[in-house]
Amino acid sequence: MTSAMNSAERRSLTRRDEDYRRYWDPLRETMDPDARASLILERVQHQLHYVYETIPFYRRHYEAHGFHPDSVKSLDDFTRKVPVITKKMLVADQAEHPPFGSYLGVAPAELARIHGSSGTSGIPTMYGISRRDWERSAEVCRIALWSAGVRPDDIVQISFPFGLFLGGWGLLQACEVLGACAFPVGSLMPTDQQLTQLARMRVDALVATPSYAQHLGRRAAELGIDLSGSHLGVIIVAGEPGGSIPEIRKAMSEGLGGAAVVDLGAGASSEMHPFYANVGCRHAEGGVHLVQDENYTEVVGRDDPNVPIPVGESGAVVATHLWRESQPMIRFWLGDEGHLDDSPCACGRTFPRLPRGVYGRLDDMLLIRGANVYPSAIDAIIRETPGTGREYRIRVTRSGELDEMRVEVERAADAPPDRDEQLRHDLAERLRAGVMVRTPVDVVAPDTFDVQMFKARRVIDERLS
Amino acid sequence: MTSAMNSAERRSLTRRDEDYRRYWDPLRETMDPDARASLILERVQHQLHYVYETIPFYRRHYEAHGFHPDSVKSLDDFTRKVPVITKKMLVADQAEHPPFGSYLGVAPAELARIHGSSGTSGIPTMYGISRRDWERSAEVCRIALWSAGVRPDDIVQISFPFGLFLGGWGLLQACEVLGACAFPVGSLMPTDQQLTQLARMRVDALVATPSYAQHLGRRAAELGIDLSGSHLGVIIVAGEPGGSIPEIRKAMSEGLGGAAVVDLGAGASSEMHPFYANVGCRHAEGGVHLVQDENYTEVVGRDDPNVPIPVGESGAVVATHLWRESQPMIRFWLGDEGHLDDSPCACGRTFPRLPRGVYGRLDDMLLIRGANVYPSAIDAIIRETPGTGREYRIRVTRSGELDEMRVEVERAADAPPDRDEQLRHDLAERLRAGVMVRTPVDVVAPDTFDVQMFKARRVIDERLS
């Protein structure tokens, strides 16, 4: 029972954490990396044979590439020999073999859950999760929540939408198996009420997207709600990149009373869910541990996914389900970029990490006059520039052969318009230094733009139309 | 695996049902009623002592009424001596002792879930459910789904909102413990997509409110979607009264390809959830079995809840949690009206039934010139009158001392306006005969009113303003 503690005392639980077991599964979380590598190789070989022999989608794909599972004798073979699969291939296969594609792997009667992508543009991609997979994923989700600092006494407010979208469901079942109290308010509850309930129900942990956590913080400031005396000890973010970017982490923490921020979302996608195997901890300042013996994550060449990229260097992220039987992803091209770090973390876990999470979706990456520009990098720069408001848009156009990128940013609600010229100059300077592309800035009035809460889409790329 | 069957074959499962166990829990479902009564008395006495000794809200209430648990020696004593509690009392107690009131019964750290009323007008009523209660309720929810005909091979589309509202969550966990596949689309998915998915995913069972199930059926007709060849074998309704009214049942079934309709909602309320103890079956034409050894339901005097009403006669419905420890409801005044039937059901279950479910909320009951008028009765009459459209409103006014009730009804989309006079006359006649109050009718154009999907609120009582 922690209900008599305020957030300052609550946050001092970093000390009291020692009273709890530090790890949910010490054997697994602190395993010698070489021993883990052997286990991973064994599972990789198992999965390759399973999908080759059982799943038509993979059989066709591998045969078309002249690949046979027997040729994988090492993890290096795995990287160099196994062709990746992409979202585009999955979508095409589902169109041809509705509703689950030819990669379901189990009989429909064995499914525990059906979910899907938001499908805003057309038919959603459908996700079928077998009972064994659903139960197994609860275990790794529990490791994730435990690593984030959630304990059985805690109340966890989950502000993810509950419906077709898979993101919130895995974390909900993690609460259940961990024994924490779930308060699954979903996305139907208005923001002001979410804030009221956060304080009123003495919520210990908030689960939200980075966008929505920032939105809650800004709204709290507008309403004069100070959560620094509340129970809220940790903000757990997932569903979008951004949770490992220092500026965004700072904005979320400051907006919500100084709570710790733990990223569970970096490098995940609905195809890999509900296996939350990218796990932040309270000791790392951002970044995620990769539970490599659950989902094996590789960093590979942006242009050639069969080329391994050394630890410390940036590349494309590819992920593999080592245990999943239903719709298993084997070398799935996530479309994210990141780099690995295998140095020890203060928490003692021996998993490698993505120390900055993922920088952004490669799919969302903008190519501006030949330079790679990540909207998430622009987001971070805007957030740390004084005088900027809640929303902004990135507008990309083409004049002749030349790409033009502009940023339109709202001024802060409490900033006087006569500082606009200064803000315009400041932000343009920071953008030039940060993203290496000259980016003119327009300052507009507060509330010019709709607030983006989920899957923040703030880029208007007019070159595409 | 039933994926190769169409709905006609699927529905013939009433025969194949015999291959399954007919009951989930034969001992409990076919118990001799006298033996069950002994068990109920034992639990009633246990709960009375528990709440008296442990829960301040009940202690105060019982002391104020001079009631002591020791005085209950029989179920008749229970009805005649124990003061009821009302929603109003719970709301007042939560205002005084936020957030859960003084009737939580367990420490907050023992809670598995927090939910709440929609709270559209102000602060929601908060529901705290302990881990033991949450797990126990899964068992009775499973009995309910099994009784509705859901089996482990089935896919169950749940079109309830998932958030603060408790209704859908109990049925979701019932799917989990039953081993059926849950497709929890929630209320975020647009209606047209809900229909597409129903067919595309080969859904066997749909869970929705009666209002929404009717809305889906009407929309299917508009879109020309014929579900009679689909897998959909059963529509499970809850969350509102109406699922036991023949006209509404007929509309739902016909709208959705002829599927069976099973009512799980009649006489339930969020205070009694997630214990779904009012359980329709596929053998009863409407009505619900009362799982009396879980939630004990009594029919009592409308004006005096300590007067028992004989089987077969109509009265107010009062319910008691026999096992719940967190926020247990002991003689909770549901505000619904119904009557009991203890004759044998074709399914063989020995529970008494509410053969017509509940007729409507007593709170919602209109008193028109001294007559009791239930909006649900008016709803049924409108639905069975040819030429009526999708929506209507009931408008009540007072002129001088006299109450006036009018119905404004949309004409059917395919009805010519020159038939309005005939419709006006027909419907007024039927209303006069059915609700015993002269009710003028206005016919308006299709789409005049917003569609009400949840907790249909179609009464405009201008006497209150």
Side-chain angles (χ1 to χ4, degrees), chain A residues 99-100 111-115 123-124 126 131 162-163 169 172 176 179-185 189 193 197 200-201, chain B residues 99-100 111-115 123-124 131 162-164 169 172 176 179-185 189 193 197 200-201:
Chain A
F100 292 110
L111 296 179
R113 286 297 193 100
I114 299 171
H115 286 279
I123 295 169
M126 300 311 295
R131 188 154 308 278
F162 286 102
W169 295 104
L172 175 62
E176 288 173 355
C181 175
F183 184 30
V185 296
M189 185 184 278
Q193 202 185 324
Q197 294 286 10
R200 190 164 176 268
M201 304 311 293
Chain B
F100 292 111
L111 296 179
R113 284 298 192 101
I114 299 172
H115 285 279
I123 295 169
R131 188 154 308 278
F162 287 102
L164 205 55
W169 294 105
L172 175 62
E176 288 173 356
C181 175
F183 184 30
V185 296
M189 185 184 277
Q193 202 185 326
Q197 294 286 9
R200 190 164 178 269
M201 303 311 294

Side-chain angles (χ1 to χ4, degrees), chain A residues 213-436:
Chain A
Q214 289 175 86
H215 176 61
L216 281 169
R218 286 188 294 264
R219 186 64 188 149
E222 284 170 13
L223 296 172
I225 295 175
D226 177 8
L227 290 165
S228 61
S230 78
H231 276 241
L232 188 66
V234 62
I235 306 161
I236 296 166
V237 293
E240 287 174 356
S244 289
I245 295 173
E247 294 75 17
I248 295 181
R249 297 171 59 79
K250 188 158 169 275
M252 290 190 283
S253 177
E254 289 180 358
L256 295 170
V261 176
V262 172
D263 188 4
L264 293 187
S269 81
S270 289
E271 276 70 21
M272 303 308 292
H273 285 171
F275 293 86
Y276 272 89
N278 299 359
V279 174
C281 82
R282 295 176 86 153
H283 298 265
E285 195 38 57
V288 292
H289 298 275
L290 298 166
V291 183
Q292 291 287 59
D293 51 0
E294 187 69 43
N295 295 352
Y296 178 54
T297 298
E298 305 161 79
V299 174
V300 299
R302 289 185 194 88
D303 304 314
D304 185 349
N306 292 112
V307 172
I309 297 289
V311 167
E313 290 178 28
S314 187
V317 181
V318 164
T320 295
H321 284 122
L322 293 184
W323 298 86
R324 186 167 174 166
E325 63 176 5
S326 55
Q327 295 188 332
M329 295 292 108
I330 308 296
R331 300 205 84 222
F332 178 64
W333 175 264
L334 282 164
D336 286 320
E337 191 162 2
H339 69 270
L340 288 179
D341 180 353
D342 58 6
S343 68
C345 177
C347 74
R349 290 177 180 81
T350 56
F351 301 119
R353 285 170 292 150
L354 291 169
R356 286 181 54 206
V358 289
Y359 316 147
R361 303 220 140 240
L362 288 174
D363 306 338
D364 293 344
M365 185 188 76
L366 297 164
L367 199 67
I368 308 285
R369 299 181 211 168
N372 295 349
V373 175
Y374 292 101
S376 54
I378 295 178
D379 186 275
I381 291 166
I382 291 174
R383 295 292 169 223
E384 68 179 341
T385 303
T388 57
R390 182 194 324 209
E391 273 293 337
Y392 64 88
R393 293 295 181 272
I394 301 165
R395 191 177 297 274
V396 186
T397 55
R398 177 165 290 151
S399 81
E401 287 302 294
L402 209 60
D403 301 313
E404 293 280 356
M405 177 169 68
R406 302 186 73 83
V407 164
E408 299 163 10
V409 66
E410 293 178 2
R411 100 173 58 86
D414 57 359
D418 61 15
R419 302 286 298 275
D420 283 0
E421 187 49 42
Q422 183 65 39
L423 174 56
R424 205 166 1 241
H425 177 77
D426 276 3
L427 183 54
E429 270 303 293
R430 288 170 186 245
L431 288 169
R432 197 192 49 74
V435 301
M436 312 291 185

Side-chain angles (χ1 to χ4, degrees), chain B residues 3 7 21 31 39 50 59 69 72 114 124 142 154 156 179 215 249 260 268 275 334 356 370 398 402 408 426:
Chain B
S3 59
S7 72
R21 282 196 295 149
M31 186 183 279
L39 177 60
Y50 163 59
R59 181 64 167 250
V72 172
I114 299 172
R142 173 160 57 185
D154 289 341
V156 184
H215 176 60
R249 296 171 59 79
F275 292 85
L334 282 163
R356 286 180 54 207
R398 177 166 288 154
L402 209 60
E408 298 164 10
D426 277 3

Side-chain angles (χ1 to χ4, degrees), chain B residues 66-329:
Chain B
F67 166 75
H68 190 281
D70 286 346
S71 69
V72 172
K73 310 283 190 204
S74 66
L75 290 179
D76 192 62
D77 284 345
F78 182 66
T79 299
R80 292 185 187 277
K81 295 180 179 173
V82 184
V84 297
I85 59 169
T86 63
K87 176 83 182 180
K88 203 168 278 183
M89 290 167 57
L90 300 176
V91 169
D93 189 52
Q94 290 207 345
E96 204 168 330
H97 306 279
F100 292 111
S102 62
Y103 59 99
L104 185 56
V106 299
E110 295 176 71
L111 296 179
R113 284 298 192 101
I114 299 172
H115 285 279
S117 67
S118 56
T120 39
S121 50
I123 295 169
T125 306
M126 300 311 296
Y127 307 121
I129 303 132
S130 76
R131 188 154 308 278
R132 277 180 296 270
D133 286 339
W134 188 253
E135 282 165 11
R136 181 173 177 93
S137 74
E139 177 60 24
V140 68
C141 288
R142 173 160 57 185
I143 288 174
L145 274 198
W146 190 270
S147 168
V150 176
R151 293 296 176 269
D153 283 357
D154 289 341
I155 294 174
V156 184
Q157 179 166 329
I158 308 177
S159 301
F160 271 17
F162 287 102
L164 205 55
F165 173 62
L166 190 44
W169 294 105
L171 294 169
L172 175 62
Q173 74 160 337
C175 285
E176 288 173 356
V177 296
L178 182 60
C181 175
F183 184 30
V185 296
S187 61
L188 298 164
M189 185 184 277
T191 296
D192 291 4
Q193 202 185 326
Q194 298 243 10
L195 284 168
T196 313
Q197 294 286 9
L198 209 52
R200 190 164 178 269
M201 303 311 294
R202 300 168 185 154
V203 167
D204 301 286
L206 169 70
V207 176
T209 62
S211 299
Y212 193 59
Q214 289 175 86
H215 176 60
L216 282 169
R218 285 188 295 263
R219 186 64 188 150
E222 285 171 11
L223 297 172
I225 295 175
D226 177 8
L227 290 166
S228 63
S230 79
H231 276 240
L232 188 66
V234 61
I235 306 161
I236 296 166
V237 293
E240 286 175 357
S244 289
I245 295 173
E247 293 76 17
I248 295 180
R249 296 171 59 79
K250 189 159 169 276
M252 290 189 284
S253 177
E254 289 179 359
L256 295 170
V261 176
V262 172
D263 189 4
L264 293 187
S269 81
S270 289
E271 275 70 22
M272 303 308 293
H273 284 172
F275 292 85
Y276 273 89
N278 299 359
V279 174
C281 82
R282 296 176 86 151
H283 298 265
E285 196 37 58
V288 291
H289 299 275
L290 297 165
V291 183
Q292 290 287 59
D293 51 0
E294 187 70 43
N295 295 352
Y296 179 53
T297 298
E298 306 161 78
V299 174
V300 299
R302 289 183 194 88
D303 305 313
D304 184 349
N306 292 111
V307 172
I309 298 290
V311 167
E313 291 178 29
S314 185
V317 181
V318 163
T320 295
H321 285 123
L322 293 183
W323 298 86
R324 186 167 174 167
E325 61 175 7
S326 54
Q327 296 187 332
M329 296 290 107

